[in-house]
Amino acid sequence: GAVVSQHPSWVICKSGTSVKIECRSLDFQATTMFWYRQFPKQSLMLMATSNEGSKATYEQGVEKDKFLINHASLTLSTLTVTSAHPEDSSFYICSARDREDYEQYFGPGTRLTVT
Amino acid sequence: GQNIDQPTEMTATEGAIVQINCTYQTSGFNGLFWYQQHAGEAPTFLSYNVLDGLEEKGRFSSFLSRSKGYSYLLLKELQMKDSASYLCAVTDSNYQLIWGAGTKLIIKP
């Protein structure tokens, strides 16, 4: 089946630094990738949708200059959290969908802790 | 606006059956998903319904009525490992996934 990986699985960083999270589709071409954020005991919140080769579409309330998304190839999307603050601490999950499929395949998630 | 409703929490007994309901109001409909999510983990796919009726997959079944904007997930022969959150999500006319808040299912021995 379709496999999506994320790296790193967890990261601790200091306030003010930047963190990059990678999302890769391992056995299919992901024309669309989605980035979600999930706070404890809450549902998934879509942050942005990215299509290969074009700029990401951000959801209302998500700062595009703070959460930089790059979908440079059909198998890789990156999310960079710039100038991280403790309130950015969350579980970040990516998902990917190929043009032939209706389903989104989820990565295992990245737990970010900003100290 | 777009809205998906499901109960916040449910409790059931090991070995029993539980039905988790989901109602939706979205701009267009291109399918409904059920996902299972254990604490601290990403969601995992359970089922997909795009036509009315019941889809059975082992101990889990999912039902859809498009005219009523309604779905349910049925879990049989409950096991302790089924304790998790169950997320209902609908694909709208733009093929965007609209997520429910999830139902936390607690299984008691």
Side-chain angles (χ1 to χ4, degrees):
Chain A
V3 179
V4 176
S5 70
Q6 270 183 252
H7 178 80
S9 55
W10 61 271
V11 57
I12 301 173
C13 71
K14 292 187 177 181
S15 187
T17 60
S18 295
V19 174
K20 179 184 283 189
I21 303 170
E22 292 186 350
C23 177
R24 293 181 185 272
S25 57
L26 299 185
D27 52 2
F28 68 100
Q29 293 186 328
T31 50
T32 306
M33 285 187 169
F34 305 85
W35 285 96
Y36 293 89
R37 180 168 51 183
Q38 186 176 35
F39 293 106
K41 299 184 180 181
Q42 295 187 24
S43 189
L44 299 171
M45 287 176 47
L46 179 65
M47 298 176 67
T49 302
S50 72
N51 294 296
E52 186 264 340
S54 61
K55 290 184 178 181
T57 302
Y58 289 81
E59 295 299 301
Q60 194 171 8
V62 178
E63 300 173 58
K64 61 180 180 181
D65 294 329
K66 180 173 179 60
F67 298 98
L68 303 179
I69 293 172
N70 187 316
H71 191 165
S73 77
L74 284 172
T75 59
L76 173 65
S77 177
T78 60
L79 168 67
T80 301
V81 182
T82 63
S83 188
H85 290 139
E87 55 264 32
D88 297 326
S89 298
S90 186
F91 192 42
Y92 291 86
I93 308 171
C94 76
S95 69
R97 185 178 71 201
D98 72 26
R99 70 180 91 232
E100 305 294 335
D101 207 340
Y102 52 79
E103 184 180 345
Q104 290 185 23
Y105 301 95
F106 283 87
T110 297
R111 185 160 302 281
L112 170 64
T113 302
V114 184
T115 61
Chain B
Q2 312 216 81
N3 193 50
I4 296 187
D5 287 318
Q6 49 181 133
T8 305
E9 187 174 295
M10 298 181 71
T11 302
T13 304
E14 189 177 15
I17 299 173
V18 71
Q19 177 175 311
I20 303 174
N21 295 324
C22 171
T23 58
Y24 62 89
Q25 295 173 312
T26 57
S27 54
F29 178 84
N30 280 300
L32 184 145
F33 294 85
W34 283 97
Y35 285 88
Q36 181 191 61
Q37 186 178 27
H38 286 100
E41 298 180 11
T44 55
F45 172 79
L46 289 179
S47 67
Y48 172 70
N49 294 68
V50 67
L51 299 176
D52 290 351
L54 186 68
E55 295 277 346
E56 297 186 77
K57 190 184 295 184
R59 294 188 299 114
F60 293 3
S61 302
S62 57
F63 171 83
L64 174 67
S65 169
R66 289 171 296 170
S67 62
K68 295 181 179 179
Y70 168 70
S71 172
Y72 68 72
L73 179 69
L74 191 72
L75 294 78
K76 302 177 184 177
E77 302 169 15
L78 286 170
Q79 302 175 9
M80 296 303 293
K81 68 178 182 179
D82 297 330
S83 293
S85 286
Y86 291 85
L87 303 169
C88 172
V90 172
T91 307
D92 68 9
S93 56
N94 294 318
Y95 290 91
Q96 293 281 66
L97 261 182
I98 312 299
W99 292 88
T103 297
K104 182 179 180 182
L105 178 62
I106 300 169
I107 310 295
K108 295 185 175 180

